[in-house]
Amino acid sequence: MRITAVQIAPDITLKLCPFSTKLSVLNYLDRSPAGTDDDCRVNNRYNMKNINNDMKDNKAKGRKVIGCFPLYPPLELFHSLGLVPVTLWGLKDSIPTTGKSDRHLQPYTCSVARHLTEFLLSENGAALDGLFMYNACDTLRNLPEIINCGLADTGRSLPIFKIHIPMVPREQTESRAYLRARIKMLIDELEEAYQVTFSIEKFRQSVSLYREMRKLCKALETLVANGRMSYNEFSRIIRDGWFIPAEDQLLVLQKILQDRPLSKREHVPSAVQSRIVVSGILPPPLHMIQAFENAGLTFVGNDIASQNRALFYTPAMVDDPADYYVDFYNHHYPCTTLLYTADRRMAAIRELILSTRAQGVVFIGEKFCEFEYFEIPHLEKTLKDMGVPTLFLEVSIDDNEYSEAYVTRIETFAELIGSANQGGRYAE
Amino acid sequence: MPNEDKLKAGHKKTEAGKRLSKLMINDYTRLHQKAKEGAFVVWIAIVVPAELFSGFENVVYGVPESHAAMSAGKGVGPLQCEKAEAMGYSMDLCSYARIDLGTAFDGGKDSPTFGLPKPHLLISDNNNCSLLVKWFDIYHRAWDVPHFILDIPFCYEQQTARDLNYISSQYRDLIRTIETLSGQKFNIDRVREALEHTKGALTNWKRFLKTAVSRPAGLTVFDSFVQMAPFLTSRGTKALAEHYRLLADETEENVAKGIFPVPNEKYRLLWDNIAPWHQLNKMSSRLASLNANLIAASYTYCMGSLEGEFDLYPYDGGDPLTYLARIQNFSICPHGLELRYQAMQRAIETLGIDGVIFASNRSCKVYSLMQMDMLKRVTERLGIPSVMIDVDHADIRKYSEESVFTRIEALLEVIDAKRGAQTPRKNSNPI
């Protein structure tokens, strides 16, 4: 298989070199898309190894790889400057222990931060040429200097680019000018650090690329809702996408959708028996997803930060990247970490439930993620009042293995939804 | 077992302590009374600049964090936490938040102050703690009360002019919001007057803390923990300025008279984190029995200082909003590691600190998450023995006195060993 240029959208022809690493695309495409869950488990690990190789490969080619802290970095901007942005979440599979991180972070730190830190302090982090972070949460905002201390211990250092994203509703405070200034400053810093020049044309191309990529991710979600792709596979593809160049991810998505095309009517989820929506920062671990699917539950939609929340919205193109990001953050899909979106969150979840005809909602609590914890009682109560059953499962850093306790709760939840469904309790 | 005489040492109720009780009772009584009479009530995060409310004729404020600390100190922390947990709030959430939620949704029952009067406006900020925003959102939804968020950039280095302007513009938005909601007109001159009181209060606060320079120190950190309470509830008032003047006077007089809280002070320690409110008496007594005195805390020396600094940054009579914006980040949590280290280094050098206790606080990640590297830095760069202990500032269920004191006693041994290595054995007691 040899790919050199691909028309990925009416206005975009993708040239693989120098942006594509090829390796990640080919590795993915050579794998059986319909692997068993055991295969997925193996592939998850194998794939992370490839991801690390991809990053090293990029570096070897002289490409600058910028590691972005979760959750919603300005990816298009980095891409347009010729950088390869990778978003550092979902790292659990590549990190067997957190020994290095544990020298810097207390055990009550969330697994996202601990894995992120471990990744950066390990050999994997050496493939990065810089880091980017914004004020996503109290834990992440404390990390840059901690990571610098850890890197200094190993004789390394990385430039860290930081911006403050205003966390206020626009109707309360006019924060657009502030954000515009921060974005412009970031561009100046990146230009200086990497000796690159911003171009609005390239930025437009990057925006188109990411818009198309996000659109295809949504299409992939429909495959899951229709039972044609496991949620595990979907989660793996989306997770891998954060680590490869956007061009490569687009090819991966196109190939999958080519192999499993969506018919028009499939855009509305078909009548599977028990439909659930999952909410949280990261998707549940593989064994937990497997337990849900074994119990006859289908994931028809998600409110996961690393999935739908991150992929939902791309602004219309404008002539100024600063304006673009003002729009991007202001109209972002609601997330517990975007403080100004709190009033919109319940409506978004309600809309998600209605549009997917979900019969239940599963909350995956990332242990020690207080942002999520504060909202869950309210969401559970509101959903209960709507007649939508909920299940809360907490996942901690060492929840890698199969747990009978989870399975029992999941099966009970499936029975609850099933019996309610038979009784016609939940309106379509 | 420590002997009884030594157990009585440590934190004792002074004249200033008695005045403090009256001041706090007055604050809460006045708050409830004014609310009952129709005042516009706001609930604020602790670092919201309360002097702004002086600019209005009839605006009063409650501080849920301060109330939660008081509840923990009075022993009702776990009771209120359990109420919140029963409502579905995770035990991993900040114990201040759980105490406050438990209190508020139970109508103030079991609170030492009958809770706080219901607010007309909630004002949070995200510089000291972003979770405050989520916490106040709960009331915003439950009671349909407007929620104003102050969006304050974190300080990895000293505040920039751009950030200062952004903050002061938000104060203007806040003032307009209160004017609209309360129907009251804002008067900036009254804020100027309040800031003069704050200046007086903070000048005397720093004077009070400075009595720690003496050997033995004129205070314990437990004194400063309890005495900071009215800074949160009476900020910008003449009563506070007067109280801190008398506090500093009394403490200086005690030093002059040779009256010290830990007369046989052998170890001068610094505390890094929020106070362990449920342990003030017990911890101070037990430390005193070991001739150890916690003489300073990053939690209290930050009051009145800019980020990374130790000295007072006083109001200069200029634009009140500019001053408030500049001092907005006075607490430790909005500071990066480098700034925290700079201030701590000043404290260690100024006060002659022998050892640092880093209190790793499960309820305050924003304060705690840099401590492992801070500890390393303080130990390696400054040569100051340090220890990490596990605490929760308001939930006693997450605290183990014995394991904490095992570590503190180990710290004292390290300090002894260091002294032994530095000085001839016969002079092993340098104090």
Side-chain angles (χ1 to χ4, degrees), chain A residues 253-271:
Chain A
L253 297 168
Q254 284 180 324
K255 180 71 173 77
I256 295 165
L257 288 163
Q258 206 173 45
D259 292 345
R260 283 175 271 187
L262 287 166
S263 64
K264 278 186 180 172
R265 64 188 179 83
E266 274 184 302
H267 287 286
V268 178
S270 62

Side-chain angles (χ1 to χ4, degrees), chain B residues 31 45 52 143 157 199 280 363 429:
Chain B
L31 173 61
L52 286 179
W143 298 334
E157 53 276 321
K199 180 183 174 183
L280 298 187
S363 270
N429 185 352

Side-chain angles (χ1 to χ4, degrees), chain A residues 1-3 16 20-31 50 248 251-252:
Chain A
M1 186 175 190
R2 184 174 179 77
I3 304 167
L16 282 178
S20 172
T21 63
K22 286 188 192 175
L23 182 64
S24 53
V25 181
L26 300 181
N27 278 334
Y28 181 83
L29 295 178
D30 286 347
R31 254 183 268 138
N50 285 343
D248 290 9
L251 287 177
V252 169

Side-chain angles (χ1 to χ4, degrees), chain B residues 157-416:
Chain B
E157 53 276 321
Q158 288 222 326
Q159 189 185 64
T160 62
R162 181 193 54 239
D163 287 353
L164 185 144
N165 290 335
Y166 179 50
I167 296 167
S168 57
S169 77
Q170 292 180 65
Y171 293 159
R172 285 189 282 277
D173 292 336
L174 176 60
I175 290 164
R176 276 194 292 274
T177 301
I178 297 175
E179 282 186 330
T180 304
L181 292 172
S182 70
Q184 299 177 36
K185 287 304 289 177
F186 178 74
N187 180 349
I188 192 79
D189 290 332
R190 292 170 63 115
V191 179
R192 219 180 292 275
E193 192 183 326
L195 280 176
E196 290 297 342
H197 294 316
T198 294
K199 180 183 174 183
L202 289 173
T203 302
N204 286 305
W205 176 256
K206 293 288 188 187
R207 190 157 68 88
F208 162 63
L209 295 187
K210 209 175 169 187
T211 61
V213 172
S214 97
R215 290 174 183 261
L219 52 68
T220 77
V221 81
F222 303 97
D223 300 312
S224 67
F225 286 153
V226 295
Q227 290 291 353
M228 72 185 287
F231 181 71
L232 308 176
T233 55
S234 296
R235 206 168 143 179
T237 64
K238 192 176 177 182
L240 179 69
E242 180 63 5
H243 174 67
Y244 280 169
R245 187 184 66 76
L246 293 169
L247 170 69
D249 286 350
E250 182 186 349
T251 314
E252 283 178 351
E253 280 167 24
N254 283 343
V255 170
K257 289 177 192 166
I259 301 170
F260 302 104
V262 182
N264 302 318
E265 181 184 278
K266 187 178 171 190
Y267 309 99
R268 296 162 65 83
L269 307 176
L270 187 149
W271 176 271
D272 183 63
N273 216 302
I274 299 173
W277 297 112
H278 45 80
Q279 291 300 306
L280 298 187
N281 285 329
K282 265 189 166 181
M283 189 179 274
S284 70
S285 301
R286 191 157 170 183
L287 283 170
S289 75
L290 298 166
N291 294 327
N293 189 5
L294 271 166
I295 64 169
S298 53
Y299 189 48
T300 53
Y301 66 61
C302 63
M303 276 169 51
S305 299
L306 294 180
E307 55 279 333
E309 296 187 6
F310 185 67
D311 298 325
L312 178 69
Y313 179 75
Y315 175 54
D316 62 359
D319 174 38
L321 300 191
T322 302
Y323 172 77
L324 288 170
R326 186 64 195 92
I327 200 81
Q328 174 66 56
N329 285 315
F330 74 82
S331 60
I332 291 291
C333 294
H335 305 168
L337 193 149
E338 190 59 45
L339 291 170
R340 292 186 195 196
Y341 174 74
Q342 282 172 25
M344 187 174 284
Q345 182 179 9
R346 278 289 312 280
I348 287 170
E349 289 169 358
T350 305
L351 303 173
I353 297 293
D354 299 316
V356 180
I357 297 176
F358 288 93
S360 176
N361 181 353
R362 297 180 80 90
S363 270
C364 191
K365 292 186 185 66
V366 69
Y367 210 136
S368 305
L369 286 194
M370 291 174 189
Q371 287 180 314
M372 293 174 83
D373 285 291
M374 279 288 284
L375 185 149
K376 190 165 178 270
R377 202 177 266 210
V378 166
T379 308
E380 290 179 0
R381 291 194 192 175
L382 303 179
I384 299 295
S386 304
V387 71
M388 185 85 74
I389 61 169
D390 286 317
V391 301
D392 185 290
H393 56 236
D395 190 348
I396 195 172
R397 297 171 299 171
K398 295 184 186 175
Y399 176 77
S400 164
E401 183 179 341
E402 287 316 311
S403 59
V404 160
F405 269 87
T406 300
R407 296 187 75 86
I408 291 176
E409 285 170 20
L411 171 69
L412 304 183
E413 285 173 20
V414 173
I415 294 170
D416 281 338

Side-chain angles (χ1 to χ4, degrees), chain B residues 70-144:
Chain B
M70 180 185 281
S71 298
K74 298 287 182 189
V76 294
L79 176 65
Q80 305 289 27
C81 283
E82 282 166 11
K83 291 178 192 172
E85 288 154 19
M87 292 162 60
Y89 292 101
S90 168
M91 203 175 173
D92 287 326
L93 286 174
C94 163
S95 47
Y96 279 173
R98 281 178 287 134
I99 289 173
D100 189 53
L101 292 166
T103 308
F105 288 119
D106 198 24
K109 197 176 160 206
D110 303 314
S111 156
T113 69
F114 309 103
L116 299 171
K118 269 199 179 177
H120 300 103
L121 174 67
L122 301 150
I123 309 171
S124 64
D125 62 67
N126 60 349
N127 61 326
N128 207 41
C129 167
S130 298
L131 295 176
L132 240 307
V133 181
K134 310 301 289 183
W135 166 3
F136 279 19
D137 266 345
I138 294 170
Y139 301 129
H140 164 61
R141 285 190 295 261
W143 298 334
D144 197 21

